[in-house]
Amino acid sequence: MGILEVKGVNKRFGGLQALGDVNLSVRENTVHAIIGPNGAGKSTLLNCLVGKLIPDTGSVMFDGQSVLGRQPHEINQMGISRVFQTPEIFGDLTVMENMMIPIFAKRDGAFRMHAVGNMMSEKGIVEAAEKMLVDMNMADKRDMHTASMSRGDKRRLEIGMCLAQEPKLLLLDEPTAGMARADTNNTIDLLKQIKEERDITIAIIEHDMHVVFSLADRITVLAQGTPLVEDDPQNIKGNPKVREAYLGETA
Amino acid sequence: MLGLNKKDTTLLLVVAILTLCAPFILNPFPEGSALAQFNAGYPDLMQRFVIFGIFAIGFNILFGLTGYLSFGHAAFLGVGSYSAVWMFKLLSMNVIPAIILSMIVSGLFAVVIGFVSLRRSGIYFSILTLAFAQMSFNLAYSVLTPITNGETGLQLTLNDPRILGMSATADGSIPVTSLFGLEMRSTYQMEVGAWLFQFNAGYYLCAAIMLLAFYLAIRIFRSPFGMMLRAVKSNQQRMRYTGLNPRPYTLAAFVISGMYAGLAGGLMASMDPLAGAERMQWTASGEVVLMTILGGAGTLIGPVLGAGFIKYFENIFSKINDNVLHSWFSFLPDGLEDFIVTIVHPFIGKGWHLTLGILFMLVVIFLPGGLVEGGQRIARLFRGKKTANTSKTKTEPAE
Ligand SMILES: Nc1ncnc2c1ncn2[C@@H]1O[C@H](COP(=O)(O)OP(=O)(O)O)[C@@H](O)[C@H]1O
Ligand SMILES: [Mg+2]
């Protein structure tokens, strides 16, 4: 049994079958990559896992519990954190504040009325946030407003915010899409480091084959909403079906 | 001090000193002089300054932090006033129970209106709040006449069944509001040369409550809760996917700001025990939006400045008439005098809205951060000169 079990998931958008009978099993403490050509349904699948979309049929079990019918914040509180295709952070807040919010959410749950609480007395939260900034190599940006940061830094912060929650499962949707080469390499290095240093399960959607093969323990290839194969990276490379799906698209 | 950092403590102290010395500060011109027109240091007006200050401080907790623009906050102001007057009619002329009840009732209203309106955001939220407020206004005006006394407005009468206290005083008049016996209307007058300074009990009660309200607002701004409210404004999507539910946060902010409005309404009635439906009209809701934006939404002191600015205009500019203008420009040759008076005429008296409108547009266009940003720019001009000198001597690269 994997930590995440997706069984028989279907999702239609009008006449378009975005997901057709998707089965997926992500084992604990592995990096599971989901690859496939544009429009294969990768983001749709991810959205079904975090409560943004509800599948028409099928089941999604996380850690022995169904996530279907739960609100995004409830699913997050179960232990799933998500990184978006374009970094979603709090643009009007400082880097430090961005980092404190997930830690508050972890400690206090979905809502707490600490209206006259004092930030200065929240030592535990401040320390945890500062430690995570050091881990993310962003301590020098502590008081910066995030709106003025580079895409790579925003991504790094977003990943840090997700990690600060100590999630059981981290989902990443094309974390290097639209990034400059240097930012891409930075992000890959960061992910490798996370994989080595932390007990965490990662499911990643990625286009860049270099990224996929250097990170993944297991790969699922999605084409037209249906899993083509699921296998170890070395077997995926030579698989003729995968080549066809990819080369057919990129040629 | 009081759990505030140094900067906030200074701000609170400055505001405290200014409000306490307001009777002096607002009366800079000697009685009878040509400029006495611009004096604002009389009890009525000073009370209005601080009461609308409270209203705007509360509004800013919702709008400034979460970005949810309510166009119906006057409903809570009206509800607060009605509650307070009922308390005077039924219980006692003491303002404390009246103020407490006005906050409770407006808080309950805010829970209901907020619960429904916050299902939408942006313009739809604004429209929903506007609809609710307009509904309240119309109900108060007609259907709910037994409670609100309709068009006439709710007033005290000589046969109110006041439980703690008498229906009428010994000389047969309606009792006045008081704080444990201290009459709200009692005013100590101090004559210094040609100046007249007035110290009014009601004003000082309102000022003390305003300072308390301001202090609480600072605490909320600086609290983890305040940070969550700014997170709501910044990115609700990220918030949800970080395990936080934005809805109860916005509702809490809505209720808090509704209670601030109710408090303001209760204080209005405590200074002058009557309540009318027009207090709930959409123009009153719009006014607090103007105050907050004019002063600087999301800043601590902005709403107070905005409230003072608008109330000053409303009361001072509206009283300037052509006679006053003629007396100011009488030193000019007759033709020129008439010409200038004709030019200025649309901007004063009943035309004060025009002046305010133009000022509002100028501020929004050139100072999007409101009066507070204006103040900061001026401060930077002065400080800029100093730092420009010192930075020339620095050799390390700028970060
Ligand atoms: N909300 C939506 N409404 C309608 N069609 C959608 C929606 N989201 C995705 N789709 C369609 O579903 C298919 C899969 O999209 P997506 O999951 O974004 O693909 P990928 O992330 O693999 O590139 C595409 O054809 C896309 O146009
Ligand atoms: Mg996608």
Side-chain angles (χ1 to χ4, degrees), chain A residues 76-77 88 97 115-116 158, chain B residues 3 219 223 230 235 238 241 243:
Chain A
N76 175 278
Q77 292 282 356
E88 293 277 357
E97 287 172 327
V116 287
E158 192 188 23
Chain B
R219 289 296 297 262
S223 71
R230 284 185 293 132
N235 191 340
R238 175 34 82 203
Y241 291 94

Side-chain angles (χ1 to χ4, degrees), chain A residues 99-171:
Chain A
M99 198 52 96
M100 285 165 81
I101 287 176
I103 302 174
F104 270 114
K106 169 109 183 136
R107 191 192 72 183
D108 298 337
F111 172 71
R112 189 175 148 204
M113 186 74 200
H114 28 34
V116 287
N118 201 319
M119 212 65 116
M120 289 174 266
S121 61
E122 299 282 5
K123 288 217 172 60
I125 301 260
V126 170
E127 274 168 24
E130 278 174 343
K131 181 170 178 306
M132 186 50 79
L133 285 182
V134 172
D135 286 1
M136 290 292 116
N137 214 351
M138 301 190 87
D140 55 323
K141 303 196 169 63
R142 191 184 187 281
D143 297 314
M144 233 172 115
H145 276 263
T146 55
S148 55
M149 295 197 312
S150 74
R151 185 115 183 213
D153 279 343
K154 284 182 183 165
R155 171 65 75 214
R156 183 171 278 268
L157 176 62
E158 192 188 23
I159 292 174
M161 289 163 69
C162 289
L163 290 179
Q165 297 194 291
E166 296 168 5
K168 293 180 199 143
L169 174 64
L170 177 64
L171 302 177

Side-chain angles (χ1 to χ4, degrees), chain B residues 17 24 42 60 64 80-81 112 138 140 165 169 178 181 189 238 283 311 316 319 357 370 374:
Chain B
I17 292 167
F24 295 113
Y42 44 97
N60 191 40
S81 287
V112 176
N138 284 314
T169 56
S178 69
Q189 309 223 353
R238 175 34 82 203
T283 46
K311 284 293 146 191
I316 303 298
K319 290 212 190 79

Side-chain angles (χ1 to χ4, degrees), chain B residues 82 140-142 145 148-156 274-278:
Chain B
Y82 283 121
Y141 210 73
S142 53
T145 301
T148 61
N149 204 21
E151 294 177 41
T152 328
L154 191 62
Q155 293 169 358
L156 301 185
L274 47 87
E278 73 290 339

Side-chain angles (χ1 to χ4, degrees), chain A residues 50 52 72-73 76-77 82 84 88-93 97 100-102 104-105 109-120 122 158 161 165, chain B residues 2-5 216 219-228 230-246 248-249 252 256:
Chain A
V50 294
K52 191 164 183 174
H73 67 264
N76 175 278
Q77 292 282 356
R82 174 183 183 174
F84 285 81
E88 293 277 357
I89 52 178
F90 300 109
D92 309 326
L93 274 57
E97 287 172 327
M100 285 165 81
I101 287 176
F104 270 114
F111 172 71
R112 189 175 148 204
M113 186 74 200
H114 28 34
V116 287
N118 201 319
M119 212 65 116
M120 289 174 266
E122 299 282 5
E158 192 188 23
M161 289 163 69
Q165 297 194 291
Chain B
L2 296 169
L4 300 184
N5 67 25
L216 193 66
R219 289 296 297 262
I220 290 175
F221 265 64
R222 303 293 184 233
S223 71
F225 174 72
M227 184 172 74
M228 294 302 177
R230 284 185 293 132
V232 168
K233 183 178 182 176
S234 182
N235 191 340
Q236 289 205 31
Q237 163 121 310
R238 175 34 82 203
M239 217 177 156
R240 275 191 220 101
Y241 291 94
T242 306
L244 294 161
N245 189 357
Y249 280 105
I256 291 173

